Amino acid sequence: MTAVATVPEPPRTRRGAGTATTLLTAAALLVAVVASLAVGPRALPPSVVLDALTAFDPTNADHLVVTEVRLPRTLIGLLAGLALGPAGVLAQGLTRNPIAEPGILGLNTGAALAVVLAIGVLGIRSLTAYVWFGFLGAGLAAVVVAGVAGIGGRSASSPATLALAGAALTAGLGSVTTAVLLTDPDAFEDYRFWQVGSLAGRDLGIAGQAAPFVLAGLALALLCGPTLNALALGDDVARSFGRHVGRDRAVCGLALVVLAGAATAVAGPIAFVGLTVPHLVRALAGPDHRRLLPLAALAAPTLLLVADVVGRVVASPREVQVGIVTAVIGAPVFIWFVRRKRFVR
């Protein structure tokens, strides 16, 4: 009888430490949700926030602030974070590149170009419509990158080919987007608010549009943990354990496209979350992707909501959009990781 080889498991964290990390991250997310509902330019006591959620009075202005402004904003932040964290883990796992993120594969740029064309060519001015065009652009960009990289073809694609194809497409589509914006000032005015990355101005309808895609992509991503562990050993080693590398990469790539496309569509291209969060959770939980993916799904919305709350109060009564705050927070954190050489492949 022939013995069946199994993929060796990555080193695990100390017994109990992983559970404690997950519980602490979940608790931090809960605190961030409460802060997102309670903190803003209009000071509201916790009792009013609770009443707005449990005994809504449509004639009460404070209740309207909670249900019409802060609740949709919080849900958008949760959905975008649930998508961006695992998407970053998938991007780095698929490309075996520690600086990979959804943007490196051209997904954000594809979504941006689709939104610009929707504004400039079709005259669309609705955030609700932007969601679908953003998702369409990210999907088309993924198809082009996969085709150029040869995923699903007879010849095996490499992580480097995938990253290079994404970088080339990002440069090309970015040039087209810039050209359209330079020739259409009206499109630029509408596009710049979406492009900076924001949780503001979105309603529950947009959250409802994105939720099925985020949940489906998240479910598929969580199934990719063992696959990413095998791919981390290298394509040849993974094949020696019976893995179909091309199919595995295509399945996990589909999850990445769905998650990155949904996040970009609802909140715009938010930088550094998909890059920084995987490194943060990897430092806490080790290199096992079966633990990284769910932990990133908890940590990323926590970071997004905290950044959004900071943006509301740091320049009150005005606001700093979350895409700017995450970049300000994420850049020093990422540099700190680089300095400490905590990258774990």
Side-chain angles (χ1 to χ4, degrees), residues 133-316:
F133 281 95
F135 199 81
L136 176 64
L140 291 176
V143 170
V144 173
V145 170
V148 173
I151 291 181
R154 293 183 177 180
S155 60
S157 62
S158 68
T161 304
L162 193 63
L164 289 173
L169 185 68
T170 297
L173 296 184
S175 300
V176 176
T177 300
T178 302
V180 174
L181 292 175
L182 288 176
T183 57
D184 190 341
D186 293 335
F188 177 75
E189 287 298 319
D190 288 316
Y191 169 76
R192 65 173 184 162
F193 180 75
W194 178 87
Q195 191 271 340
V196 73
S198 175
L199 307 182
R202 276 71 171 171
D203 57 25
L204 290 176
I206 292 179
Q209 283 179 292
F213 295 102
V214 173
L215 296 178
L218 181 61
L220 185 59
L222 293 178
L223 296 176
C224 289
T227 300
L228 294 179
N229 285 343
L231 294 177
L233 301 173
D235 291 358
D236 292 337
V237 176
R239 289 191 188 92
S240 71
F241 286 107
R243 305 294 310 194
H244 192 298
V245 173
R247 182 187 61 197
D248 289 347
R249 193 165 280 140
V251 171
C252 296
L254 176 62
L256 169 59
V257 171
V258 173
L259 291 173
T264 305
V266 298
I270 296 178
F272 277 104
V273 175
L275 175 63
T276 304
V277 167
H279 289 291
L280 176 63
V281 298
R282 195 175 288 120
L284 296 173
D288 190 342
H289 290 88
R290 294 171 300 178
R291 297 184 54 79
L292 288 180
L293 287 164
L295 201 55
L298 293 173
T302 304
L303 174 60
L304 263 185
L305 292 178
V306 170
D308 188 46
V309 171
V310 171
R312 297 180 206 176
V313 300
V314 72
S316 182

Side-chain angles (χ1 to χ4, degrees), residues 92-108:
Q92 292 176 10
L94 285 172
T95 61
R96 297 205 297 273
N97 186 338
I99 62 170
E101 59 163 344
I104 201 174
L105 299 179
L107 305 183
N108 291 348

